[in-house]
Amino acid sequence: MREMPPTAGLPLSLLELFGTGGGFSRAAQDYVGAPHAGLACSGTACFVLILTALHRLSGRRTVIVPAYTCPLVALAIAHCGLKLRLCDLAADSLDFNMEALAALCDEDTLAIVPTHLVGRVTHVTPVLRLARKCGAFVVEDAAQSFGARRGGQSVGLEGDAGFFSFAAGKGLSLYEGGLWVTHDPVLASAIGRAQDELIVRDVRQEFRRCLELAAYALFYRPAFLPWAYGMPLRRALKKGDLLGVVGDVFSPGVPMHRVSGWRQGVGRRALSRLQAFHRQTTIQAKRRLAVLDRLPGVQVFRDMKDEEGIWPCFMLRLPDQYKRDYALGVLWGAGLGVTCMFIHVLPDYGYLRPCVPQDACPNARGLAARSLTITNSPWLDDAGFARIIGVLKQVT
């Protein structure tokens, strides 16, 4: 049996578990070319540090985010005691609806959070112009896009600050980890002070993460993924637990602990192979995009001119929800790496209702209802990809 992961994560070599520790934060900072950066235990923790620093600098309280994004974004804002405001997406796009965004900005807007979803590069420049008019900051959510660039510059550096995630399956993985970046020395100093205050030593939690990273190095293989990923997915499917299938259930607390030197050392050694891995997956993506583009009525989200995203997966929008649901019904449990990025827009997660307004967001809701993702893992061979295309042809 073989199981495909939902995204193209960089497999760890068992040899990378051994060697000197530390050094990952500086190596990751150099990799993206950030003037200032820092390491935390998750991308969410980095977001908390950035928001804490920004709130202390400005006193404002409202954070504007896309209606279709990771639930952890909403939980981080609530963790900081700030107010979340939702913005719809533009039609047929992963970018903000700029008219809607302009109407949301006011004198209390602390930050606007454009999101580089599934490795794609979102348009930050118009968001930045709008933020400057109302005195707000721009924080780039690049959790899924470590290594993506626009005009030769890493994502995360056009706005005031940005953050990346190194969770399982996010390309390079420390199992959990995150990097915040900024070009502003004043903001970097404020984030550093928040980090000194909020990041604590938690031996128990870090020991658990070390064990999980070792298990990831061992079991992130097609032969072991049926047990580590496939069986839990199919159990959740059998129960009709779609949040469990996608992995969209999160607890409200945000862990804020230091990353051990050992995990940093593993990440530093793996980072030396990441650029070559991204080249490999990009070559495969371009070849398979040509096939996906021939599917009638299917939109494949891709890069624009001067954008060099990464390709953990392909995100497709099908003609309607019925066709999307039919395709998922056939492919979700087939072990081919087909799933959804997020099952809902933020207002539709019941457990987020205390912190998320119930706003209308028709474009984002339509995307959630009609989209699916296909892994771009090198382990998905041409025969497996052809099976996926065959099912999509049936519904389109």
Side-chain angles (χ1 to χ4, degrees):
M1 291 180 61
R2 287 167 55 88
E3 183 91 28
M4 297 300 107
T7 57
L10 174 69
L12 288 175
S13 162
L14 294 180
L15 291 176
E16 287 166 348
L17 301 180
F18 304 94
T20 57
F24 176 75
S25 179
R26 183 67 200 189
Q29 178 181 351
D30 291 344
Y31 188 86
V32 298
H36 309 280
L39 182 67
C41 61
S42 67
T44 310
C46 288
F47 190 35
V48 167
L49 294 175
I50 293 169
L51 290 178
T52 300
L54 293 179
H55 177 57
R56 290 174 177 177
L57 289 172
S58 91
R60 297 183 179 195
R61 304 188 60 82
T62 301
V63 182
I64 303 175
V65 306
Y68 185 73
T69 193
C70 180
L72 285 169
V73 169
L75 294 174
I77 294 168
H79 180 89
C80 294
L82 301 173
K83 178 182 177 182
L84 180 147
R85 188 170 286 175
L86 297 175
C87 184
D88 200 7
L89 301 178
D92 306 323
S93 176
L94 301 179
D95 295 326
F96 279 123
N97 179 321
M98 292 306 297
E99 289 186 7
L101 184 60
L104 291 170
C105 293
D106 59 27
E107 66 280 357
D108 191 51
T109 303
L110 171 65
I112 306 171
V113 187
T115 301
H116 303 284
L117 195 64
V118 294
R120 308 282 50 81
V121 179
T122 196
H123 295 152
V124 176
T125 302
V127 178
L128 196 58
R129 284 198 297 263
L130 189 57
R132 292 296 178 258
K133 289 181 181 179
C134 70
F137 296 94
V138 171
V139 179
E140 295 180 53
D141 178 352
Q144 301 176 359
S145 300
F146 183 72
R149 295 180 175 273
R150 181 175 182 270
Q153 175 180 266
S154 171
V155 298
L157 292 173
E158 185 175 355
D160 297 288
F163 62 93
F164 304 94
S165 172
F166 305 115
K170 289 256 186 17
L172 177 68
S173 179
L174 306 182
Y175 197 84
E176 285 288 351
L179 187 79
W180 60 262
V181 296
T182 181
H183 52 72
D184 185 338
V186 174
L187 180 53
S189 179
I191 298 173
R193 288 193 297 272
Q195 185 160 346
D196 291 340
E197 177 184 334
L198 298 177
I199 301 297
V200 299
R201 186 169 179 263
D202 188 334
V203 175
R204 184 175 180 179
Q205 181 76 286
E206 182 56 25
F207 180 68
R208 175 185 173 184
R209 293 297 186 225
C210 289
L211 291 178
E212 288 169 333
L213 181 59
Y216 179 83
L218 180 62
F219 293 110
Y220 190 74
R221 303 282 187 274
F224 293 109
L225 281 171
W227 289 271
Y229 171 69
M231 287 177 62
L233 179 148
R234 282 179 274 278
R235 279 198 301 267
L237 276 174
K238 190 174 182 180
K239 295 177 183 177
D241 176 16
L242 299 187
L243 271 69
V245 173
V246 178
D248 276 356
V249 180
F250 302 99
S251 59
V254 179
M256 303 287 289
H257 63 90
R258 295 173 189 162
V259 178
S260 66
W262 179 75
R263 278 205 295 146
Q264 289 194 50
V266 175
R268 189 191 71 248
R269 288 183 283 275
L271 182 58
S272 66
R273 297 187 292 112
L274 184 62
Q275 193 169 43
F277 181 74
H278 281 165
R279 283 197 296 268
Q280 177 188 9
T281 54
T282 297
I283 290 169
Q284 176 172 274
K286 289 180 177 178
R287 180 165 54 87
R288 291 182 172 175
L289 281 169
V291 179
L292 292 168
D293 285 340
R294 292 197 289 269
L295 293 170
V298 174
Q299 178 185 6
V300 185
F301 292 98
R302 61 202 311 142
D303 299 329
M304 304 295 286
K305 186 178 180 181
D306 294 331
E307 297 173 354
E308 303 171 42
I310 59 171
W311 290 96
C313 60
F314 305 99
M315 188 168 184
L316 282 60
R317 192 178 67 167
L318 272 64
D320 57 54
Q321 184 174 0
Y322 173 80
K323 292 178 179 179
R324 192 286 302 264
D325 289 350
Y326 178 85
L328 280 179
V330 176
L331 295 169
W332 229 342
L336 294 171
V338 175
T339 185
C340 291
M341 181 49 55
F342 309 117
I343 199 68
H344 296 310
V345 291
L346 291 182
D348 294 345
Y349 292 96
Y351 69 93
L352 293 181
R353 284 177 186 162
C355 61
V356 174
Q358 298 300 299
D359 294 341
C361 42
N363 292 333
R365 187 168 274 115
L367 178 65
R370 295 163 55 189
S371 64
L372 57 77
T373 60
I374 303 170
T375 186
N376 190 38
S377 170
W379 293 326
L380 179 65
D381 59 21
D382 289 341
F385 185 70
R387 286 177 59 193
I388 296 170
I389 296 299
V391 172
L392 294 177
K393 283 181 176 178
Q394 291 177 22
V395 300
T396 58

